[in-house]
Amino acid sequence: MASEADFGVVGMAVMGQNLVLNVEGRGFSVAVYNRTAERTKEFVEGRAQGKNIVPTYSLEELVASLKKPRKVLLMVKAGEPTDAVLAKLFPLLERGDLVIDGGNAHYADTERRLSEAEKRGLLYLGTGISGGEYGALRGPSIMAGGHEEGYGLVREIFERIAARGPEGPCCGYFGPGSAGHYVKMVHNGIEYAIMETIAEAYDLMKRGLGMTPDEMAQVFSDWNSRELGGYLVEITERILRYRDPETGDFLVERILDTAKQKGTGKWSTQAALDLGTPAPTIAMAVFSRIISAFKDERAAASKVLSGPDPHLAVDRKEFTERLFGAAYLSVIAAYAQGFRQLRDASSERGWDLDLSEVARVWMAGCIIRSGLLAPIRKAFLDRPELPMLFLAEPFKSAWEEYHGDLRWVTAKAHEHGLPTPAMDSALAFVDAYRTERLPANLIQAQRDFFGAHTYQRVDKEGTFHTDWEAVA
Ligand code: NBP
């Protein structure tokens, strides 16, 4: 077979197929391979027909069909499937060839695979790709990390296939090692927190105010034209308006109330804990999905544990307006925590991550794209070392303007037994962050009491221990 294809893709499931069509549509020839040959056949005889797409039926054939240095993108299931493909692919490649893992790999796996590639003289890029199947086809947001030389080999392809943002193509190289996959992981953590915030707002309007899906859609439509405007708010409006063709009812109300969580949101929280960085709103979003999955237990508990009437006896217009402020701050908190996590990970791992560049790459194509990313980018351009978004404008003013609403809305929710864990955690997060003296002095004392862990004092230098029982 002639070695003529510009780019190779392994994995012809949803994401792989759409990315291949995107790359081909931008003027590159693409060789494709999938473990199950049927899928490849279906693709080349269907959507790929008449296009500059070369089917191959073994990894050997795929490798032989590529121009050197070869560039192979993996779009297979993360975890063991990726290792299975790499175990076969690595030995077939030559020094200087590039492997790009475009799946949602755990960053620790990426570090391991990258060093394996390095030993073989291969280039490796752990690359987060966001935007779902539509993004893959029309323009995703691409977050690459690993060998910079490897990024040079695919920069042109990535720049052509990526979503066009207001400040250029939404792709970027974020640093060595697993920087790309780490940025994608935190992106997904923020995504969880924004989704949870929106879901809480929906619940307050639905159960608290008794609003219909159409009425709620109108509220989200209004929010979408304001500071909260973004993809997730926009699709929420569309979801709420959607009627089930079978029953004619609002489809959302026919969907089971259990949400899955398996990968990146959980990893993002675990990584925040490992780093010692506060990401409570992201964590609460993960825990909320976990408790949602306790469907049978919740149904049983609902008959045993009582609570107040969820109906909110408030003026609907006033409530939805103040709910905007509450949701807005909760969403800012999600970004603030995510960017802080990236900042801390970068300093621990020596990535020199450019946070303004992360914001730029998230401006289009990805799931958390929103109007907030332009001011976030500006905040980090003005002050690259900014420790917390709430310290910069317009977020500082947003806090001043809306924290009363966040307090009021969550208080109402508590009073009426409506859970708002994301909003609660956002409020507690900023309240703790802005508090000069927290009660951790008592925690130091408790630790010293039961474990002789010692403590520091505010009035003298040094480390102290007290025999508390003796004093008592
Ligand atoms: P899936 O995550 O469902 O993976 C299916 C692909 O993995 C198929 O091509 C399958 O081949 C292949 N595969 C498996 Br499973 N085990 C394999 C093995 N042992 N050896 C070789 N190939 C194997 O596909 P997807 O939803 O298109 O996602 C692809 C990647 O992109 C994933 O890592 C995902 O996390 C990531 N991602 C997905 C989205 C999204 O919206 N879906 C968004 C962003 C990122 P087969 O046909 O032979 O079974």
Side-chain angles (χ1 to χ4, degrees):
M1 175 175 289
S3 310
E4 57 195 18
D6 298 314
F7 197 63
V9 180
V10 178
M12 286 300 103
V14 181
M15 291 294 284
Q17 287 193 15
N18 285 304
L19 274 166
V20 168
L21 293 170
N22 187 353
V23 174
E24 196 271 348
R26 305 284 163 185
F28 302 97
S29 53
V30 191
V32 302
Y33 166 76
N34 192 72
R35 177 184 60 171
T36 308
E38 261 319 295
R39 227 200 258 261
T40 308
K41 277 202 196 110
E42 227 171 79
F43 179 53
V44 292
E45 285 164 13
R47 300 173 79 199
Q49 215 175 37
K51 299 191 188 295
N52 204 355
I53 294 171
V54 186
T56 70
Y57 295 96
S58 68
L59 281 171
E60 287 81 356
E61 206 191 328
L62 177 84
V63 168
S65 70
L66 295 171
K67 271 184 209 154
K68 294 181 188 175
R70 303 175 183 91
K71 302 167 243 343
V72 185
L73 170 69
L74 264 56
M75 286 310 296
V76 300
K77 206 178 208 45
E80 278 174 27
T82 304
D83 280 322
V85 173
L86 290 177
K88 290 186 191 145
L89 181 64
F90 277 165
L92 301 173
L93 296 173
E94 290 171 20
R95 187 164 278 278
D97 286 346
L98 168 69
V99 175
I100 308 149
D101 177 13
N104 274 334
H106 189 279
Y107 66 94
D109 287 341
T110 299
E111 298 277 354
R112 171 176 55 77
R113 292 165 184 154
L114 186 137
S115 58
E116 177 61 31
E118 216 161 63
K119 279 188 216 140
R120 295 168 179 270
L122 302 174
L123 299 171
Y124 195 88
L125 287 176
T127 302
I129 299 181
S130 178
E133 66 180 291
Y134 181 86
L137 181 65
R138 299 272 172 227
S141 168
I142 303 174
M143 298 146 249
H147 294 119
E148 196 164 7
E149 196 188 333
Y151 191 71
L153 296 180
V154 284
R155 178 194 291 273
E156 191 193 345
I157 298 179
F158 281 5
E159 287 183 352
R160 285 212 221 160
I161 66 167
R164 311 272 111 191
E167 299 198 36
C170 289
C171 61
Y173 171 78
F174 290 125
S178 57
H181 272 142
Y182 200 100
V183 169
K184 172 64 164 45
M185 173 184 76
V186 172
H187 164 285
N188 286 25
I190 297 170
E191 174 186 308
Y192 270 55
I194 298 174
M195 290 168 75
E196 172 62 23
T197 298
I198 292 173
E200 290 172 13
Y202 155 78
D203 197 34
L204 290 173
M205 288 190 280
K206 186 186 149 198
R207 287 201 294 148
L209 301 177
M211 289 170 69
T212 64
D214 259 344
E215 289 168 339
M216 290 185 276
Q218 202 43 52
V219 172
F220 285 111
S221 166
D222 170 48
W223 291 6
N224 199 35
S225 65
R226 299 168 67 184
E227 295 95 318
L228 253 178
Y231 177 71
L232 286 165
V233 173
E234 180 193 322
I235 65 166
T236 303
E237 181 203 342
R238 291 173 58 185
I239 289 166
L240 288 168
R241 291 199 196 281
Y242 191 90
R243 293 213 179 239
D244 179 16
E246 260 178 60
T247 60
D249 291 346
F250 289 107
L251 181 59
V252 70
E253 300 309 333
R254 295 242 166 191
I255 296 177
L256 186 69
D257 57 324
T258 61
K260 291 207 167 61
Q261 67 79 35
K262 45 191 166 79
T264 38
K266 179 177 84 179
W267 296 343
S268 191
T269 301
Q270 287 171 327
L273 290 169
D274 287 342
L275 260 183
T277 201
T281 308
I282 294 170
M284 287 319 298
V286 180
F287 286 127
S288 296
R289 290 196 192 186
I290 291 171
I291 202 159
S292 81
F294 288 19
K295 177 70 186 175
D296 294 342
E297 234 177 292
R298 287 192 288 116
S302 72
K303 313 236 166 359
V304 179
L305 303 171
S306 67
D309 178 358
H311 177 70
L312 297 163
V314 289
D315 177 72
R316 183 188 284 192
K317 199 163 179 331
E318 183 193 359
F319 189 86
T320 52
E321 188 47 39
R322 300 188 81 169
L323 184 59
F324 168 83
Y328 183 37
L329 289 185
S330 188
V331 168
I332 296 173
Y335 285 111
Q337 291 165 22
F339 275 93
R340 175 54 184 253
Q341 181 169 350
L342 289 176
R343 179 186 190 263
D344 291 350
S346 174
S347 50
E348 189 177 270
R349 290 161 182 270
W351 287 334
D352 201 18
L353 195 58
D354 179 345
L355 297 179
S356 70
E357 183 63 5
V358 173
R360 188 190 69 74
V361 168
W362 288 350
M363 284 169 115
C366 72
I367 305 297
I368 63 168
R369 61 185 185 261
S370 78
L372 279 168
L373 285 156
I376 291 175
R377 171 162 164 76
K378 183 170 182 317
F380 286 114
L381 278 173
D382 291 349
R383 201 175 149 196
E385 292 307 316
L386 178 69
M388 185 54 61
L389 272 179
F390 280 103
L391 299 176
E393 290 299 351
F395 311 109
K396 185 174 163 293
S397 295
W399 170 258
E400 299 304 331
E401 187 172 352
Y402 295 117
H403 74 88
D405 291 338
L406 179 54
R407 293 179 202 288
W408 185 78
V409 165
T410 49
K412 286 279 170 218
H414 297 167
E415 219 177 278
H416 290 268
L418 295 159
T420 48
M423 292 187 201
D424 296 349
S425 72
L427 178 60
F429 168 70
V430 186
D431 273 341
Y433 187 71
R434 62 173 196 85
T435 298
E436 188 177 345
R437 185 164 167 82
L438 285 168
N441 51 325
L442 179 61
I443 291 171
Q444 283 219 62
Q446 290 163 333
R447 293 181 75 239
D448 189 56
F449 191 115
F450 63 69
H453 292 296
T454 72
Y455 56 87
Q456 294 148 301
R457 296 179 58 119
V458 291
D459 52 354
K460 18 182 182 173
E461 289 291 315
T463 301
F464 302 88
H465 169 61
T466 295
D467 184 351
W468 296 88
E469 303 271 24
V471 172

mmCIF file of all heavy atoms in Angstrom, residues 189 192-193 196-197 200 265 269 279-291 337 420-426:
data_model
loop_
_atom_site.group_PDB
_atom_site.id
_atom_site.type_symbol
_atom_site.label_atom_id
_atom_site.label_comp_id
_atom_site.label_asym_id
_atom_site.label_seq_id
_atom_site.Cartn_x
_atom_site.Cartn_y
_atom_site.Cartn_z
ATOM 1 N N GLY A 189 -14.821 18.615 35.158
ATOM 2 C CA GLY A 189 -15.224 18.889 36.534
ATOM 3 C C GLY A 189 -16.088 20.154 36.578
ATOM 4 O O GLY A 189 -17.151 20.183 37.212
ATOM 5 N N TYR A 192 -19.522 19.445 35.262
ATOM 6 C CA TYR A 192 -20.392 18.812 36.266
ATOM 7 C C TYR A 192 -21.026 19.878 37.157
ATOM 8 O O TYR A 192 -22.214 19.831 37.463
ATOM 9 C CB TYR A 192 -19.582 17.873 37.165
ATOM 10 C CG TYR A 192 -19.450 16.434 36.726
ATOM 11 C CD1 TYR A 192 -18.962 16.108 35.466
ATOM 12 C CD2 TYR A 192 -19.772 15.395 37.583
ATOM 13 C CE1 TYR A 192 -18.802 14.778 35.081
ATOM 14 C CE2 TYR A 192 -19.622 14.067 37.208
ATOM 15 C CZ TYR A 192 -19.139 13.761 35.963
ATOM 16 O OH TYR A 192 -18.994 12.455 35.595
ATOM 17 N N ALA A 193 -20.203 20.824 37.611
ATOM 18 C CA ALA A 193 -20.686 21.820 38.576
ATOM 19 C C ALA A 193 -21.697 22.761 37.931
ATOM 20 O O ALA A 193 -22.691 23.141 38.565
ATOM 21 C CB ALA A 193 -19.511 22.602 39.151
ATOM 22 N N GLU A 196 -24.950 20.826 37.535
ATOM 23 C CA GLU A 196 -25.636 20.661 38.821
ATOM 24 C C GLU A 196 -26.322 21.973 39.222
ATOM 25 O O GLU A 196 -27.459 21.974 39.699
ATOM 26 C CB GLU A 196 -24.646 20.186 39.892
ATOM 27 C CG GLU A 196 -25.174 20.157 41.322
ATOM 28 C CD GLU A 196 -26.353 19.202 41.552
ATOM 29 O OE1 GLU A 196 -26.518 18.250 40.771
ATOM 30 O OE2 GLU A 196 -27.109 19.441 42.516
ATOM 31 N N THR A 197 -25.634 23.087 39.018
ATOM 32 C CA THR A 197 -26.218 24.392 39.355
ATOM 33 C C THR A 197 -27.505 24.615 38.565
ATOM 34 O O THR A 197 -28.534 25.028 39.116
ATOM 35 C CB THR A 197 -25.210 25.517 39.038
ATOM 36 O OG1 THR A 197 -24.050 25.326 39.844
ATOM 37 C CG2 THR A 197 -25.788 26.888 39.294
ATOM 38 N N GLU A 200 -30.254 22.443 39.866
ATOM 39 C CA GLU A 200 -30.830 22.945 41.121
ATOM 40 C C GLU A 200 -31.797 24.098 40.840
ATOM 41 O O GLU A 200 -32.873 24.185 41.447
ATOM 42 C CB GLU A 200 -29.706 23.387 42.070
ATOM 43 C CG GLU A 200 -28.917 22.201 42.612
ATOM 44 C CD GLU A 200 -27.668 22.590 43.400
ATOM 45 O OE1 GLU A 200 -27.524 23.784 43.757
ATOM 46 O OE2 GLU A 200 -26.845 21.696 43.664
ATOM 47 N N GLY A 265 -15.319 13.735 36.026
ATOM 48 C CA GLY A 265 -15.763 14.567 37.144
ATOM 49 C C GLY A 265 -15.220 14.031 38.454
ATOM 50 O O GLY A 265 -14.711 14.763 39.310
ATOM 51 N N THR A 269 -12.236 15.687 40.994
ATOM 52 C CA THR A 269 -12.374 15.862 42.446
ATOM 53 C C THR A 269 -11.256 15.128 43.177
ATOM 54 O O THR A 269 -10.645 15.669 44.111
ATOM 55 C CB THR A 269 -13.745 15.336 42.899
ATOM 56 O OG1 THR A 269 -14.746 16.067 42.184
ATOM 57 C CG2 THR A 269 -13.954 15.515 44.378
ATOM 58 N N ALA A 279 -12.128 22.391 45.762
ATOM 59 C CA ALA A 279 -13.036 22.337 44.610
ATOM 60 C C ALA A 279 -14.397 21.789 45.078
ATOM 61 O O ALA A 279 -14.915 20.826 44.515
ATOM 62 C CB ALA A 279 -12.442 21.469 43.511
ATOM 63 N N PRO A 280 -14.984 22.410 46.113
ATOM 64 C CA PRO A 280 -16.192 21.821 46.713
ATOM 65 C C PRO A 280 -17.408 21.803 45.795
ATOM 66 O O PRO A 280 -18.239 20.908 45.904
ATOM 67 C CB PRO A 280 -16.438 22.700 47.949
ATOM 68 C CG PRO A 280 -15.760 23.984 47.653
ATOM 69 C CD PRO A 280 -14.567 23.636 46.827
ATOM 70 N N THR A 281 -17.542 22.805 44.920
ATOM 71 C CA THR A 281 -18.745 22.830 44.082
ATOM 72 C C THR A 281 -18.679 21.709 43.042
ATOM 73 O O THR A 281 -19.684 21.060 42.726
ATOM 74 C CB THR A 281 -18.908 24.224 43.435
ATOM 75 O OG1 THR A 281 -18.824 25.192 44.494
ATOM 76 C CG2 THR A 281 -20.233 24.382 42.739
ATOM 77 N N ILE A 282 -17.474 21.463 42.542
ATOM 78 C CA ILE A 282 -17.280 20.354 41.607
ATOM 79 C C ILE A 282 -17.532 19.029 42.346
ATOM 80 O O ILE A 282 -18.236 18.143 41.855
ATOM 81 C CB ILE A 282 -15.861 20.419 40.991
ATOM 82 C CG1 ILE A 282 -15.750 21.680 40.108
ATOM 83 C CG2 ILE A 282 -15.541 19.147 40.207
ATOM 84 C CD1 ILE A 282 -14.360 22.015 39.623
ATOM 85 N N ALA A 283 -17.003 18.920 43.555
ATOM 86 C CA ALA A 283 -17.193 17.689 44.333
ATOM 87 C C ALA A 283 -18.675 17.451 44.628
ATOM 88 O O ALA A 283 -19.170 16.332 44.494
ATOM 89 C CB ALA A 283 -16.402 17.769 45.640
ATOM 90 N N MET A 284 -19.387 18.521 45.001
ATOM 91 C CA MET A 284 -20.809 18.339 45.330
ATOM 92 C C MET A 284 -21.605 17.908 44.106
ATOM 93 O O MET A 284 -22.591 17.186 44.218
ATOM 94 C CB MET A 284 -21.401 19.631 45.917
ATOM 95 C CG MET A 284 -20.960 19.961 47.325
ATOM 96 S SD MET A 284 -20.871 18.575 48.479
ATOM 97 C CE MET A 284 -22.570 18.050 48.513
ATOM 98 N N ALA A 285 -21.167 18.361 42.950
ATOM 99 C CA ALA A 285 -21.854 17.943 41.719
ATOM 100 C C ALA A 285 -21.679 16.438 41.500
ATOM 101 O O ALA A 285 -22.612 15.748 41.088
ATOM 102 C CB ALA A 285 -21.313 18.726 40.535
ATOM 103 N N VAL A 286 -20.481 15.931 41.805
ATOM 104 C CA VAL A 286 -20.237 14.493 41.654
ATOM 105 C C VAL A 286 -21.076 13.735 42.690
ATOM 106 O O VAL A 286 -21.770 12.771 42.366
ATOM 107 C CB VAL A 286 -18.736 14.160 41.818
ATOM 108 C CG1 VAL A 286 -18.504 12.656 41.663
ATOM 109 C CG2 VAL A 286 -17.886 14.934 40.808
ATOM 110 N N PHE A 287 -21.041 14.206 43.938
ATOM 111 C CA PHE A 287 -21.804 13.522 44.991
ATOM 112 C C PHE A 287 -23.309 13.568 44.706
ATOM 113 O O PHE A 287 -24.040 12.629 45.029
ATOM 114 C CB PHE A 287 -21.505 14.129 46.369
ATOM 115 C CG PHE A 287 -20.146 13.754 46.897
ATOM 116 C CD1 PHE A 287 -19.240 14.709 47.321
ATOM 117 C CD2 PHE A 287 -19.766 12.419 46.973
ATOM 118 C CE1 PHE A 287 -17.980 14.354 47.805
ATOM 119 C CE2 PHE A 287 -18.513 12.052 47.455
ATOM 120 C CZ PHE A 287 -17.619 13.022 47.860
ATOM 121 N N SER A 288 -23.766 14.666 44.092
ATOM 122 C CA SER A 288 -25.199 14.761 43.783
ATOM 123 C C SER A 288 -25.595 13.696 42.774
ATOM 124 O O SER A 288 -26.682 13.124 42.865
ATOM 125 C CB SER A 288 -25.533 16.139 43.223
ATOM 126 O OG SER A 288 -25.286 17.085 44.214
ATOM 127 N N ARG A 289 -24.729 13.455 41.806
ATOM 128 C CA ARG A 289 -25.035 12.388 40.836
ATOM 129 C C ARG A 289 -25.038 11.035 41.543
ATOM 130 O O ARG A 289 -25.868 10.176 41.250
ATOM 131 C CB ARG A 289 -24.006 12.379 39.706
ATOM 132 C CG ARG A 289 -24.134 13.589 38.799
ATOM 133 C CD ARG A 289 -23.397 13.347 37.504
ATOM 134 N NE ARG A 289 -23.262 14.563 36.735
ATOM 135 C CZ ARG A 289 -22.764 14.622 35.516
ATOM 136 N NH1 ARG A 289 -22.337 13.522 34.913
ATOM 137 N NH2 ARG A 289 -22.671 15.762 34.879
ATOM 138 N N ILE A 290 -24.100 10.881 42.478
ATOM 139 C CA ILE A 290 -24.033 9.600 43.194
ATOM 140 C C ILE A 290 -25.330 9.362 43.968
ATOM 141 O O ILE A 290 -25.923 8.284 43.881
ATOM 142 C CB ILE A 290 -22.791 9.570 44.127
ATOM 143 C CG1 ILE A 290 -21.506 9.524 43.277
ATOM 144 C CG2 ILE A 290 -22.854 8.380 45.092
ATOM 145 C CD1 ILE A 290 -20.221 9.696 44.053
ATOM 146 N N ILE A 291 -25.790 10.396 44.675
ATOM 147 C CA ILE A 291 -27.028 10.200 45.466
ATOM 148 C C ILE A 291 -28.234 10.049 44.545
ATOM 149 O O ILE A 291 -29.183 9.336 44.855
ATOM 150 C CB ILE A 291 -27.201 11.302 46.542
ATOM 151 C CG1 ILE A 291 -28.124 10.785 47.647
ATOM 152 C CG2 ILE A 291 -27.689 12.599 45.984
ATOM 153 C CD1 ILE A 291 -28.004 11.503 48.956
ATOM 154 N N GLN A 337 -12.959 27.589 40.948
ATOM 155 C CA GLN A 337 -12.325 26.407 41.556
ATOM 156 C C GLN A 337 -11.516 25.637 40.515
ATOM 157 O O GLN A 337 -10.408 25.171 40.786
ATOM 158 C CB GLN A 337 -13.390 25.509 42.182
ATOM 159 C CG GLN A 337 -14.032 26.158 43.409
ATOM 160 C CD GLN A 337 -15.326 25.477 43.847
ATOM 161 O OE1 GLN A 337 -15.567 24.314 43.520
ATOM 162 N NE2 GLN A 337 -16.149 26.185 44.587
ATOM 163 N N THR A 420 -29.821 22.097 47.494
ATOM 164 C CA THR A 420 -29.068 22.950 46.570
ATOM 165 C C THR A 420 -27.567 22.826 46.877
ATOM 166 O O THR A 420 -26.904 23.822 47.214
ATOM 167 C CB THR A 420 -29.511 24.431 46.714
ATOM 168 O OG1 THR A 420 -29.536 24.754 48.121
ATOM 169 C CG2 THR A 420 -30.851 24.691 46.089
ATOM 170 N N PRO A 421 -27.011 21.617 46.785
ATOM 171 C CA PRO A 421 -25.626 21.432 47.223
ATOM 172 C C PRO A 421 -24.591 22.255 46.451
ATOM 173 O O PRO A 421 -23.615 22.723 47.054
ATOM 174 C CB PRO A 421 -25.390 19.924 47.031
ATOM 175 C CG PRO A 421 -26.480 19.446 46.133
ATOM 176 C CD PRO A 421 -27.639 20.354 46.360
ATOM 177 N N ALA A 422 -24.787 22.451 45.164
ATOM 178 C CA ALA A 422 -23.791 23.231 44.416
ATOM 179 C C ALA A 422 -23.834 24.689 44.870
ATOM 180 O O ALA A 422 -22.801 25.303 45.166
ATOM 181 C CB ALA A 422 -24.032 23.117 42.908
ATOM 182 N N MET A 423 -25.027 25.234 44.940
ATOM 183 C CA MET A 423 -25.145 26.637 45.340
ATOM 184 C C MET A 423 -24.669 26.830 46.785
ATOM 185 O O MET A 423 -23.973 27.798 47.092
ATOM 186 C CB MET A 423 -26.591 27.117 45.186
ATOM 187 C CG MET A 423 -27.035 27.192 43.733
ATOM 188 S SD MET A 423 -28.668 27.963 43.607
ATOM 189 C CE MET A 423 -29.207 27.371 42.017
ATOM 190 N N ASP A 424 -25.039 25.893 47.665
ATOM 191 C CA ASP A 424 -24.598 25.993 49.072
ATOM 192 C C ASP A 424 -23.072 25.987 49.144
ATOM 193 O O ASP A 424 -22.455 26.766 49.872
ATOM 194 C CB ASP A 424 -25.075 24.781 49.894
ATOM 195 C CG ASP A 424 -26.578 24.699 50.005
ATOM 196 O OD1 ASP A 424 -27.261 25.670 49.646
ATOM 197 O OD2 ASP A 424 -27.068 23.645 50.452
ATOM 198 N N SER A 425 -22.485 25.070 48.385
ATOM 199 C CA SER A 425 -21.023 24.926 48.481
ATOM 200 C C SER A 425 -20.330 26.152 47.887
ATOM 201 O O SER A 425 -19.272 26.561 48.363
ATOM 202 C CB SER A 425 -20.562 23.653 47.782
ATOM 203 O OG SER A 425 -20.676 23.808 46.392
ATOM 204 N N ALA A 426 -20.933 26.738 46.855
ATOM 205 C CA ALA A 426 -20.333 27.946 46.254
ATOM 206 C C ALA A 426 -20.321 29.072 47.291
ATOM 207 O O ALA A 426 -19.322 29.782 47.457
ATOM 208 C CB ALA A 426 -21.126 28.356 45.019
#
